Amino acid sequence: MNGELLAILEQMEREKGIKKDVLIKAVEAAIASAVKKVLDVKPGVNVRAELSSATGKIKAYAGDEEITSIDMGRIAAQTAKQVIIQKIREAEKDVVYEEFSGKVGEIVSGGVYRFERGNIIVDLLGKAEGMLPKNERSPKEEFKQGDRIRAYVLEVRKEARGPHILLTRAHPNFVKKMFEMEVPEIYDNIVEVKAISRKPGERTKIAVHSKDEKVDSVGACVGMRGSRVKNIVSELHGEKIDIVRYSDDTREYIKNALAPAKITEIRLDKDSQRAEVVVEDDQLSLAIGKHGQNVRLASGLVGWELDIRTKSQLEAKAEEKKRAEVEEAAPSEPQEEGSLRALSGVGEKTVEELKKAGFTSLASIADTDIAGLTRVKGIGEKKAKKMIAEAKKALKK
């Protein structure tokens, strides 16, 4: 028993990475507790157990006196076995937690193990299981059991059944880490990723800047004949990637972010972080992109609200504004006709007939009688009476 117990502990230390001292202390605590419950130990007496790391021999003490009961060996053997199993599981969970909590923000590899309510459970090289939720994947990605998969570790939480490892392939940082893996200049901090804006499965814009004038940031990310970016696009199942050259000049940065559209003019409102971007008519669809995708991603990349306008739209807007200013400045015209239209039941044709008959204002209606008003085409006695009453009432206001 003694030698076997030590051999088991040493094996666990080698295979599971669990320190033997941790297991020894756990076994000692559990045996002391079991002895206190099973054997006749006086209340208040301190019970402790000792497991020799050299010989594997187990001794138990009640106070300073060694317990020599014939049941001691059986209790020790059973308890040691139970505790080893329990503590190994707990220690394994702690080891896994420590290992993967240190990998938050990194990319890990594994295999698709099973599917759970739309979520993918990933076997992380036999060490742990990670969860890749449906909403943390590109809608265009499809995996089957046994597929190799790479994902970004988003979060690791301690739970009773073991560490909960949350994975993602939809987070912008997944793309950033892919670039770090594919582009040595980024990994070596020669080229810096300034910002990322992403629509998973559709398109990503990544802004890069070189700290070395001799190194072209965009060229480094693209690679020879596009080899580096092609590898990333392949990993993302065909997602488009725009590599944007970062600039401290906001106008230049916005221009780069909206590529491939050609920009005519950019008007900045720094207080509201809003930019009006002017393009030719034939560049509008390119600048906005399908379903507004290009302008939204560019806006997220530069951190400014981008309002795309064509030159013809601005010209039409300026013309409308000018016309409104002219109309506002012009002297107001007599409102007799408008006043007549204010009467209920009086439309455009009736107004024309009233004007022909000499009725051009509310006052002229109020001063006439029913007989005079019924001579107007389309106005009967009842309508005439109502119109005269309305005109008099309006004039009193």
Side-chain angles (χ1 to χ4, degrees), residues 78-242:
Q78 290 178 346
T79 305
K81 182 179 178 181
Q82 293 169 0
V83 169
I84 286 172
I85 293 171
Q86 178 187 348
K87 291 301 178 181
I88 284 175
R89 287 174 181 169
E90 291 177 3
E92 283 180 333
K93 291 175 185 177
D94 288 340
V95 168
V96 171
Y97 174 79
E98 291 300 326
E99 179 179 349
F100 283 92
S101 61
K103 291 184 178 180
V104 172
E106 299 294 332
I107 288 179
V108 294
S109 299
V112 175
Y113 182 54
R114 68 179 188 276
F115 297 88
E116 245 180 40
R117 296 188 293 275
N119 303 321
I120 295 176
I121 305 303
V122 181
D123 176 17
L124 299 172
L125 306 179
K127 295 181 179 181
E129 290 183 354
M131 177 181 284
L132 180 60
K134 187 176 182 179
N135 63 348
E136 292 295 342
R137 307 195 304 268
S138 160
K140 293 185 177 180
E141 292 180 337
E142 290 185 6
F143 297 97
K144 59 182 183 295
Q145 195 170 19
D147 282 351
R148 301 303 298 169
I149 191 170
R150 288 197 285 187
Y152 180 84
V153 181
L154 193 61
E155 181 186 14
V156 179
R157 297 195 308 266
K158 268 189 176 181
E159 293 186 353
R161 59 182 181 179
H164 177 77
I165 303 170
L166 180 62
L167 306 175
T168 178
R169 285 177 58 87
H171 199 282
N173 283 348
F174 178 59
V175 178
K176 181 180 179 181
K177 283 294 177 181
M178 288 298 301
F179 269 93
E180 286 182 10
M181 293 168 67
E182 291 290 338
V183 183
E185 290 85 350
I186 293 179
Y187 183 81
D188 294 335
N189 206 28
I190 297 170
V191 172
E192 181 184 2
V193 176
K194 285 287 191 177
I196 293 182
S197 184
R198 187 182 182 203
K199 172 70 173 175
E202 299 290 340
R203 195 171 187 176
T204 288
K205 286 183 182 285
I206 177 169
V208 293
H209 170 70
S210 177
K211 297 178 181 179
D212 186 339
E213 293 180 357
K214 297 178 182 178
V215 177
D216 176 33
S217 59
V218 175
C221 292
V222 173
M224 187 174 292
R225 296 180 182 176
S227 58
R228 291 173 176 175
V229 74
K230 280 179 182 177
N231 290 338
I232 298 172
V233 169
S234 176
E235 175 67 34
L236 299 178
H237 293 213
E239 184 174 314
K240 293 180 181 179
I241 296 179
D242 298 339

Side-chain angles (χ1 to χ4, degrees), residues 348-372:
E348 199 69 43
K349 289 183 179 180
T350 305
V351 168
E352 291 300 321
E353 294 297 329
L354 285 168
K355 287 169 67 178
K356 287 178 184 178
F359 297 103
T360 59
S361 66
L362 290 177
S364 62
I365 299 291
D367 290 340
T368 190
D369 55 17
I370 295 174

